[in-house]
Amino acid sequence: MTVAEALAAGRARLASAGIEGAARDARWLLAEAMGVAPERIGVMGPDAVGPAAAAAYDAMIARRAAREPVARILGRRQFWGRDFRVTPEVLDPRPETECLIAAALEEPARRLLDLGTGSGILAVTLLAEWPEATGVATDLSSAALEVARANAERHGVAGRLRLVQADWAEGIEGPFDLVVSNPPYLAEAELRDIAPEVRHDPGMALSPGGDGLAAYRAIAAAAPRLLAPGGRLIVEIGATQGRAVAGIFLAAGLDDVAVGPDLDVRDRVVSARRFRERQRLT
Ligand SMILES: C[S@@+](CC[C@H](N)C(=O)[O-])C[C@H]1O[C@@H](n2cnc3c(N)ncnc32)[C@H](O)[C@@H]1O
């Protein structure tokens, strides 16, 4: 079988399973099976696919046809230009979470806290972008913390990141200049309608149950204690949660509360700041 034939067969199988972007996914999976860069596959049409690569490709196409995301099959995901390890124990990082990084990078921070770190994308990316910074990252899942540790090591920031198993910020002492979180935020009722790909994410990474806002309430309650005066809190939200989360932050006594859009102009992040004492007095 040639590369061109393998691509055509894989694309047809994925398309008939209803996969959008079937051609792109087939290219990625064949490149992985053959151990070449995906950009090269396009010029390898007449080349032969060896029996081992063909078997590996076939197995990966079967997994993708069963709606497993490509990042889970490959065990890695690109985020803010870096490669992160992804295992079944962590959320497959979403491209839209890069909006939170963009918001965070608007102001430098020396001490940061990432609540519900999962694969570690937020803490690891920010520490890699800010070589002087140190950070703490928590997760309730010890398996997720192992993945975050591997990613911190991979990107050379493990010496500046303390990973703690905790229920949000329980037992964590501040002060921090920046607290970030992409917590589970689907309401319980929304879980019924999630795409088959999303079912591969751990349940505790998707929803806190109920109205989906419990994590924001816990984080907002802890934020005034954790933040240095003038420090910022930035969280990712679901597209319809901006008003509710802003209300939770205001009720917790936070200042400068703002809801920001993602590139599709849907609400995606809510940011807030702890008053500087100076402002409180005026
Ligand atoms: C939506 S995932 C986000 C992971 C990662 N920050 C990202 O953006 O890809 C939410 C994370 O919160 C963690 N989590 C859920 N409940 C938690 C709790 N009570 N305390 C700490 N972490 C929790 C989950 O294990 C999961 O890793």
Side-chain angles (χ1 to χ4, degrees):
M1 182 173 53
T2 66
V3 164
E5 288 164 349
L7 284 177
R11 186 178 61 230
R13 188 156 164 207
L14 295 184
S16 69
I19 308 280
E20 276 179 41
R24 178 205 53 211
D25 289 0
R27 228 173 20 250
W28 272 90
L29 297 177
L30 184 59
E32 181 77 3
M34 296 182 73
V36 301
E39 311 81 75
R40 281 205 55 218
I41 281 289
V43 296
M44 291 173 64
D47 295 6
V49 181
Y57 176 61
D58 202 45
M60 288 191 282
I61 288 287
R63 286 172 69 181
R64 184 69 191 106
R67 306 302 289 260
E68 194 170 343
V70 171
R72 293 214 175 276
I73 298 169
L74 302 184
R76 62 177 189 274
R77 160 77 78 178
Q78 277 267 316
F79 183 81
W80 204 261
R82 296 181 180 87
D83 232 16
F84 283 82
R85 181 172 165 209
V86 175
T87 70
E89 288 81 25
V90 297
L91 186 90
D92 174 10
R94 308 296 204 266
E96 56 266 29
T97 303
E98 293 189 341
C99 293
L100 200 159
I101 296 291
L105 290 176
E106 284 174 10
E107 252 179 61
R110 302 279 299 211
R111 301 158 295 182
L112 65 94
L113 173 63
D114 175 13
L115 299 171
T117 196
S119 61
I121 50 161
L122 296 179
V124 170
T125 299
L126 291 171
L127 290 176
E129 295 292 324
W130 288 323
E132 305 295 314
T134 59
V136 177
T138 72
D139 207 291
L140 202 53
S141 156
S142 59
L145 290 169
E146 286 306 309
V147 180
R149 186 179 313 282
N151 283 320
E153 280 163 9
R154 173 182 290 200
H155 296 297
V157 303
R160 292 185 284 127
L161 179 62
R162 192 160 68 88
L163 292 157
V164 183
Q165 186 173 16
D167 185 0
W168 300 122
E170 206 173 73
I172 303 296
E173 301 286 334
F176 297 96
D177 308 309
L178 175 66
V179 176
V180 292
S181 185
N182 173 20
Y185 54 66
L186 293 182
E188 206 169 326
E190 289 176 295
L191 283 174
R192 280 196 301 269
D193 303 323
I194 56 178
E197 277 79 359
V198 179
R199 297 191 191 283
H200 291 271
D201 287 310
M204 70 183 287
L206 294 178
S207 172
D211 65 1
L213 298 170
Y216 300 112
R217 294 189 185 101
I219 291 167
R225 168 178 77 75
L226 297 167
L227 288 170
R232 290 183 305 154
L233 168 64
I234 311 176
V235 296
E236 180 171 323
I237 56 163
T240 60
Q241 292 173 318
R243 186 185 287 260
V245 174
I248 291 169
F249 285 8
L250 286 168
L254 294 162
D255 191 32
D256 280 354
V257 176
V259 182
D262 64 13
L263 295 174
D264 294 331
V265 206
R266 282 180 303 190
D267 287 346
R268 183 55 66 188
V269 292
V270 177
S271 60
R273 194 182 292 276
R274 186 188 145 188
F275 267 125
R276 290 181 195 281
E277 298 309 318
R278 186 161 39 78
Q279 289 173 323
R280 216 186 268 284
L281 296 173
T282 54

